[in-house]
Amino acid sequence: MNETASSVPEPLEPGLYIVATPIGNLGDITMRAADVLRRCDGVACEDTRVTGKLMKHLGISKPLWRYDDHSEHRDRDRLVDSMRSRAVALVSDAGTPLVSDPGYRLVNDCRAEGIAVTVLPGACAAIAGLSVSGLPNDRFLFAGFLPSKDKARRDVLAELADIEATLIFYDTAPRLTKSLAAIGEALPDREIAVARELTKIHEELRRGLADGLIAWFETHPPKGEIVLLIGPPLGKQQASAADADALLLEALETSKASQAVAQVAKATGLDRKLLYARAMELKRG
């Protein structure tokens, strides 16, 4: 429903409001986020067309101001100056602002000028991917987008190789198999999870070793937004029976039993004979 003169909500206090938006399913907008978008004086966003669709879904009409990687310093100055008397919501195209986007500069400038900054938590693709992946989540490192150039990608993976944590990256569908190949080369035998189109109709989670995942995505070309997760270094923890089963099931989809067992034994350090016996049980269902 559109707002009427009799239902105009109370205005917000001046300042910057960091508002998380859905990463796919519009139903994931929080009640508080919708309330702030309804009561603010305007919205700073990456793409006015994308944010416009969300606002239309919520039945809200507000001025939309573009703020992205290409915004100049004077654009930021104007926004900060406006917040002395107006409430401005900052949103990204999807998810939580400041996670792989330029919003931190705006926040820094607001704080330097004594402008109040309020955060409204919500959807974040990196955290959603970690939650559904089944990979260790007691320690993790989000490292943004993997570089598109081969050497830069290898350098980043080499730099992070020894970190005892699950690594989280964003990636694009056209680059996915190249990224998986680079991971297989730089971080051999590390378990990988590919979370695609999270919260959307065609949501998919595939988990396994690089070779098996490459084989799958070469025959099932991926589309959409991707979160790429890499398990911690081998030998840092003993794989559980559930972990071993998950790895075996993934490997058995693309490999013979003996090959699947060899892959999982190398990845986990578990006894090959025990793994083979378990693989036969899993195949029998």
Side-chain angles (χ1 to χ4, degrees):
M1 293 184 295
N2 290 324
E3 297 165 353
T4 65
S6 62
S7 65
V8 174
E10 288 294 318
L12 295 167
E13 290 295 317
L16 176 65
Y17 294 79
I18 302 170
V19 181
T21 57
I23 59 175
N25 190 319
L26 293 180
D28 290 336
I29 190 78
T30 69
M31 295 174 64
R32 187 179 174 209
D35 180 61
V36 165
L37 292 174
R38 190 170 289 111
R39 296 167 62 199
C40 70
D41 296 302
V43 181
C45 53
E46 289 183 88
D47 189 326
T48 57
R49 295 166 300 180
V50 173
T51 301
K53 292 178 182 178
L54 174 63
M55 300 293 277
K56 183 178 180 180
H57 172 77
L58 296 172
I60 300 172
S61 177
K62 294 288 178 178
L64 302 180
W65 304 305
R66 186 163 189 137
Y67 180 75
D68 59 17
D69 275 324
H70 305 293
S71 298
E72 297 182 4
H73 186 74
R74 63 175 177 269
D75 298 323
R76 196 158 62 249
D77 287 344
R78 282 196 292 266
L79 264 179
V80 172
D81 190 56
S82 74
M83 293 175 209
R84 300 184 193 281
S85 60
R86 293 191 292 184
V88 176
L90 173 67
V91 303
S92 64
D93 283 349
T96 301
L98 281 73
V99 179
S100 277
D101 79 27
Y104 77 93
R105 300 186 186 95
L106 186 60
V107 172
N108 280 343
D109 286 0
C110 285
R111 294 206 173 279
E113 294 296 321
I115 303 294
V117 180
T118 302
V119 63
L120 284 71
C124 175
I127 300 302
L130 179 66
S131 298
V132 76
S133 71
L135 293 174
N137 58 13
D138 54 332
R139 296 184 71 195
F140 59 90
L141 172 69
F142 174 68
F145 278 88
L146 269 176
S148 58
K149 302 294 184 182
D150 291 343
K151 183 181 184 305
R153 189 189 294 118
R154 289 195 300 268
D155 289 346
V156 166
L157 292 171
E159 177 187 357
L160 303 178
D162 294 327
I163 294 178
E164 296 181 25
T166 293
L167 305 178
I168 308 175
F169 298 96
Y170 289 158
D171 206 358
T172 65
R175 297 204 303 252
L176 178 60
T177 54
K178 286 187 177 181
S179 297
L180 290 170
I183 294 168
E185 179 181 343
L187 310 176
D189 306 316
R190 297 270 282 272
E191 191 175 1
I192 304 166
V194 178
R196 188 180 68 82
E197 291 290 81
L198 289 169
T199 79
K200 300 177 184 177
I201 294 174
H202 300 293
E203 177 177 322
E204 177 184 29
L205 187 286
R206 301 205 68 81
R207 180 172 147 180
L209 303 179
D211 288 346
L213 291 171
I214 290 170
W216 172 264
F217 286 113
E218 283 181 341
T219 57
H220 302 78
K223 295 180 181 179
E225 305 297 327
I226 289 170
V227 181
L228 189 55
L229 305 100
I230 307 170
L234 303 177
K236 302 302 180 183
Q237 59 180 32
Q238 182 68 28
S240 68
D243 292 333
D245 281 1
L247 283 171
L248 282 170
L249 286 169
E250 289 285 350
L252 286 168
E253 289 186 7
T254 55
S255 305
K256 296 179 180 178
S258 58
Q259 295 170 329
V261 166
Q263 291 176 19
V264 176
K266 189 174 182 182
T268 63
L270 296 174
D271 183 83
R272 190 172 296 204
K273 290 183 179 179
L274 294 176
L275 285 172
Y276 189 84
R278 181 57 180 155
M280 294 299 100
E281 292 177 4
L282 292 172
K283 287 190 71 170
R284 288 194 294 269

